[in-house]
Amino acid sequence: MKETAKLKRIAILGSTGSIGTQALEVIAAHPQLFEAEVLCAHSNATLLIAQAKQFKPNAVVVTDETKYTEVKEALGSLPIKVFAGAGALADVVAWDSVDIVITAIVGFAGLHSTIAAVKAGKRIALANKETLVVAGDIVTRLASETGATVIPVDSEHSAIFQCLAGEDYSQVEKIILTASGGPFLGKKPNFLVNVKASHALQHPNWTMGAKITIDSATLMNKGLEMIEAKWLFGLENEQIDVVIHPQSIIHSMVQFTDSSVKAQMGLPDMKLPIQYALAYPGRVHNDFKRLDFKEFSKLSFEQPDYKTFRNLALAKDAMYKGGNAPGVLNAANEVVVHAFLQNRVSFIEMSDVIETVGTRIAFIEQPTLEDHEQSDKEARIRAAELVKKSQLSH
Ligand code: NAD
Ligand code: MG
């Protein structure tokens, strides 16, 4: 007789976002395998309330405390605990009733709750790449101490993780991250100088949150992913390559010491890496659209243009520099992306600000978590000052 799999109880940090809502679709499609135990969101109370009514979790957390009363009143008649504030995240992820924590908060704001889940020794389905960019050393060291397992949700890293299943990691020669190139592939600085957020938000292959969509247009996303990969797979900087692959069918590749290259392919759909991270080490049948090679007569590859898309070069430099440099880069990037979305800084100026901030924050070779927080704060202040000097801010 077939053994029934144990129900996995899941906490979603960032349940109202792009990854969070798709994670709930995966859970809804497999109620015999997955159950929402805790849902957490920042300020979208309306959606959080609707999700809580549908999925009936044990608890919800709304980190924006001004929304507490609204959520509490709406769920008052249901047996659902309601907590408010970022501090509550660290508690709920450690509950015995939580088997898997999906970290789908965007940006540095996701760092503390991810670390809390690692400290609690949980399985983490990691979407919040900024956590590893800023503090990959601390997170991976902690995970090896507590026995927490970090399974990637980012599609490229899920691809590499899938290629590495059953392999000896020491036989990896290099990994090749694929990048779609975003909406401005092939464009030059004289074009980019005038692009607006509305244009940059039109990603050709993926629908995602605003921040990562802008990062995809600047190629910062691929730079962050290089650093994410370094920590996830314990790689040397030289082992990490990037290739532009506009069709987004090959999600990434691993080249081994015997010259063999493995790739993972599929239609671009984040529900697949989310489901893989939840079901790992198993696979679960689903009704996702299948890849039909007749529809893709050509898969093409080209080198990234590091001169035009300077954020990729800046991120790569930060990776080689190490210490607090990737955290400083990340903080400056969060500030400029926010400003770009509000039309307060231009596309090209985003790289100028990130580069300048990188030269103005004292380098710390082996930062503690407190050092990371301090660098993050200082970098944000510097970046905000520079944004104010933009023509667009006046
Ligand atoms: P999103 O903007 O759509 O959603 C962000 C979520 O985080 C929301 O639920 C929001 O309530 C919550 N949040 C925002 N600020 C918060 C704060 N200060 N405190 C607590 N919660 C907060 O973002 P997204 O596109 O779903 O991305 C989430 C993460 O996943 C990012 O780190 C991103 O890089 C990564 N990721 C996303 C995709 C994708 O397809 N969207 C792919 C790969 C990786
Ligand atoms: Mg990705």
Side-chain angles (χ1 to χ4, degrees):
M1 209 172 83
K2 214 173 154 190
E3 206 185 320
T4 38
K6 189 175 158 281
L7 192 68
K8 289 175 177 159
R9 293 158 301 176
I10 297 168
I12 308 182
L13 311 184
S15 67
T16 54
S18 162
I19 292 291
T21 51
Q22 294 181 85
L24 283 172
E25 286 179 45
V26 170
I27 292 173
H30 303 283
Q32 75 291 6
L33 296 178
F34 312 123
E35 183 177 73
E37 172 70 7
V38 186
L39 300 179
C40 311
H42 187 52
S43 57
N44 189 345
T46 314
L47 183 53
L48 182 61
I49 291 163
Q51 291 178 338
K53 285 182 175 166
Q54 182 184 348
F55 289 91
K56 304 195 173 50
N58 190 3
V60 301
V61 180
V62 56
T63 49
D64 177 349
E65 299 185 26
T66 66
K67 306 279 178 168
Y68 174 74
T69 316
E70 183 184 347
V71 178
K72 178 79 188 156
E73 281 175 6
L75 302 179
S77 61
L78 297 167
I80 299 175
K81 300 180 192 75
V82 180
F83 303 104
L89 297 178
D91 296 334
V92 293
V93 297
W95 282 357
D96 283 346
S97 60
V98 170
D99 299 312
I100 303 179
V101 179
I102 304 181
T103 64
I105 291 175
V106 59
F108 184 82
L111 180 67
H112 278 285
S113 45
T114 306
I115 288 187
V118 172
K119 279 189 177 157
K122 297 295 178 187
R123 175 191 289 191
I124 292 147
L126 184 113
N128 178 247
K129 66 188 79 181
E130 294 90 346
T131 292
L132 288 185
V133 170
V134 175
D137 51 346
I138 294 175
V139 172
T140 45
R141 204 175 335 117
L142 260 179
S144 67
E145 283 166 22
T146 65
T149 42
V150 181
I151 316 276
V153 164
D154 213 347
S155 57
E156 295 77 1
H157 305 74
S158 177
I160 291 163
F161 189 65
Q162 292 182 56
C163 290
L164 287 172
E167 297 284 356
D168 174 354
Y169 278 39
S170 70
Q171 298 299 325
V172 173
E173 199 161 74
K174 68 173 184 178
I175 61 156
I176 305 150
L177 294 169
T178 52
S180 69
F184 305 135
L185 176 60
K187 301 294 188 207
K188 293 292 166 196
N190 61 355
F191 175 90
L192 295 175
V193 83
N194 293 318
V195 300
K196 294 278 174 280
S198 54
H199 196 178
L201 285 169
Q202 307 295 316
H203 195 279
N205 303 344
W206 302 92
T207 309
M208 310 176 283
K211 193 254 175 186
I212 185 175
T213 307
I214 301 302
D215 284 345
S216 300
T218 64
L219 294 200
M220 178 56 93
N221 185 48
K222 212 49 54 182
L224 299 180
E225 289 183 354
M226 292 175 86
I227 305 171
E228 181 186 11
K230 168 179 169 148
W231 295 113
L232 274 173
F233 305 113
L235 299 167
E236 299 297 327
N237 299 327
E238 297 73 21
Q239 290 177 289
I240 305 169
D241 250 9
V242 172
V243 69
I244 302 286
H245 165 48
Q247 298 82 14
S248 297
I249 294 299
I250 294 183
H251 297 305
S252 279
M253 297 174 261
V254 179
Q255 180 178 307
F256 294 90
T257 47
D258 61 356
S259 80
S260 177
V261 177
K262 274 167 98 173
Q264 187 266 338
M265 298 187 218
L267 292 169
D269 181 348
M270 284 308 296
K271 290 201 293 298
L272 176 55
I274 292 168
Q275 180 185 297
Y276 187 80
L278 297 184
Y280 176 81
R283 288 192 184 268
V284 176
H285 177 268
N286 60 31
D287 59 3
F288 300 165
K289 189 166 186 274
R290 268 45 181 170
L291 172 59
D292 180 353
F293 280 97
K294 293 192 288 302
E295 289 173 21
F296 293 90
S297 58
K298 186 177 154 200
L299 296 183
S300 61
F301 305 92
E302 56 188 271
Q303 284 311 301
D305 178 354
Y306 284 90
K307 284 210 169 77
T308 303
F309 295 91
R310 285 162 52 213
N311 281 2
L312 180 58
L314 291 168
K316 193 172 172 186
D317 286 352
M319 177 175 80
Y320 273 85
K321 208 166 162 195
N324 63 339
V328 168
L329 170 106
N330 177 68
N333 183 56
E334 288 190 27
V335 171
V336 292
V337 169
H338 186 64
F340 178 69
L341 285 166
Q342 298 176 335
N343 200 28
R344 288 189 288 114
V345 73
S346 74
F347 192 89
I348 301 276
E349 283 171 325
M350 287 198 276
S351 308
D352 299 338
V353 172
I354 296 165
E355 181 166 23
T356 308
V357 171
T359 62
R360 298 220 178 135
I361 306 294
F363 179 65
I364 306 171
E365 198 171 345
Q366 289 197 318
T368 61
L369 201 51
E370 292 70 34
D371 291 331
H372 280 306
E373 271 162 24
Q374 190 56 32
S375 296
D376 177 86
K377 271 202 195 94
E378 286 175 24
R380 281 171 200 272
I381 292 168
R382 293 288 186 175
E385 286 166 3
L386 292 165
V387 164
K388 274 204 186 121
K389 292 186 181 157
S390 164
Q391 285 282 329
L392 293 174
S393 278
H394 297 292

